[in-house]
Amino acid sequence: MRRVMSTAKHGFLFVFVLITLLPLYSVLINSVKLPSDIIRTPFRITVPTLENFKHVFNPQNDILRMYMNSITITGSSLVFILILAPMAGYYIARNKSRWSSFLLILFMTGIMIPDEVTIIPLVDMFVKMGLIGKLHGMILYYAGARLAVSIFLNMKFISTIPQELEESAVMDGASQFRIFWQVLYPLLLPCTATLIVFVGMNIWNDFLMPLYLLQGTGAARTITVGIFSAIGDYSGNWGEIFAWVVAASAPILILFLTAQRFFIDGLTAGAVKG
């Protein structure tokens, strides 16, 4: 019976991995195929061509500027989040007061509100503040919009760290500021890596908000909005679209593969306290 269950489990995992990798396989092989070949044989490998990538990296598309815009927005937003979220998470985890409970509920509410609900008021606010089409406006938006989930992850991770470490530092004469940044913050490496991958990937891959708040055109375009340029009013060049998807996904995929060990540790660290 145990052998049957093990075989069934491995069979299920194999099917799950196959289903998960199928979209990635489809994108990769179709990015080096002509549109006519994609329509006829979408899942079959044919004679590869680099014409799609030549179009994507054409200087007229200014893809390097799109990369820089995406890197600037993602990196700057993460800097704000990685400074503010641990401090707020530390306060909520270590203070059992009504105020900390209120903050926890407030931030949890922020997690529950989808971005699509806030588009209209956000666009109206950005227009009044003159932030439409501005990169720093997108940085402020993401720093605020992704702060709630970042605080929650830090709070759960900090709650697993024994308070005896802080008490020992206090006995040695360390201030609260020094205890947090020199004792606790280095222990948050798995959680920090998780946020860099999880939140960074979310910001990098976002298409809807840059399309509306950056207006999706001009020098302020991000790499994901660049995919939109391969889609016409009535049809699109699927080879170029797949090439754009590969170009947009490659940096964040490399980041995930580099930090996947810390990513998994950070997600599971808050599951058990003690």
Side-chain angles (χ1 to χ4, degrees), residues 2-20:
R2 182 177 299 177
R3 186 174 181 180
V4 173
M5 291 297 295
S6 177
T7 303
K9 181 178 69 174
H10 285 87
F12 172 78
L13 291 175
F14 175 77
V15 173
F16 177 77
V17 170
L18 190 64
I19 295 174
T20 304

Side-chain angles (χ1 to χ4, degrees), residues 23-264:
L24 179 60
Y25 166 79
S26 176
V27 169
L28 288 176
I29 66 168
N30 287 321
S31 66
V32 291
K33 291 165 63 175
L34 297 174
S36 56
D37 293 332
I38 295 174
I39 295 174
R40 287 198 305 266
T41 57
F43 297 107
R44 187 183 302 172
I45 298 176
T46 60
V47 178
T49 176
L50 295 178
E51 290 301 318
N52 298 322
F53 285 98
K54 288 180 181 179
H55 174 80
V56 170
F57 287 94
N58 189 310
Q60 293 181 351
N61 289 325
D62 207 5
I63 190 173
L64 293 180
R65 181 182 289 274
M66 295 182 199
Y67 271 127
M68 288 306 302
N69 290 341
S70 293
I71 292 172
T72 301
I73 292 172
T74 304
S76 301
S77 302
L78 284 174
V79 168
F80 281 108
I81 290 171
L82 295 179
I83 293 175
L84 297 176
M87 292 190 292
Y90 173 73
Y91 177 82
I92 296 174
R94 291 295 191 248
N95 291 274
K96 306 301 179 182
S97 62
R98 291 183 179 181
W99 174 242
S100 62
S101 300
F102 169 76
L103 288 177
L104 177 60
I105 295 173
L106 180 65
F107 291 130
M108 289 294 292
T109 304
I111 297 175
M112 300 175 190
I113 300 175
D115 292 342
E116 292 77 8
V117 176
T118 63
I119 288 178
I120 294 177
L122 267 175
V123 171
D124 182 60
M125 182 177 69
F126 268 54
V127 169
K128 292 179 179 178
M129 297 177 65
L131 294 177
I132 289 291
K134 304 293 180 61
L135 294 183
H136 59 271
M138 290 303 306
I139 293 170
L140 290 174
Y141 164 72
Y142 283 124
R146 304 298 180 260
L147 190 60
V149 66
S150 304
I151 291 173
F152 180 76
L153 286 176
N154 274 279
M155 180 202 71
K156 296 299 293 182
F157 193 93
I158 291 173
S159 65
T160 67
I161 300 176
Q163 287 189 263
E164 286 77 10
L165 290 175
E166 301 166 54
E167 294 171 357
S168 299
V170 170
M171 294 179 63
D172 290 337
S175 63
Q176 196 71 35
F177 181 86
R178 187 175 180 182
I179 290 173
F180 177 78
W181 289 109
Q182 295 188 5
V183 177
L184 284 181
Y185 197 79
L187 299 176
L188 298 179
L189 178 60
C191 184
T192 301
T194 300
L195 288 177
I196 291 175
V197 175
F198 181 70
V199 178
M201 184 166 53
N202 182 274
I203 296 173
W204 180 279
N205 290 334
D206 191 20
F207 167 77
L208 193 62
M209 287 304 180
L211 182 66
Y212 281 98
L213 300 182
L214 294 178
Q215 296 300 302
T217 59
R221 286 189 302 173
T222 60
I223 188 65
T224 51
V225 176
I227 302 172
F228 197 60
S229 63
I231 303 174
D233 293 333
Y234 304 102
S235 63
N237 187 319
W238 285 104
E240 294 177 5
I241 293 173
F242 283 121
W244 272 105
V245 172
V246 171
S249 305
I252 206 68
L253 181 61
I254 294 172
L255 174 64
F256 176 77
L257 293 175
T258 303
Q260 61 177 331
R261 181 173 65 86
F262 296 106
F263 178 69
I264 295 172

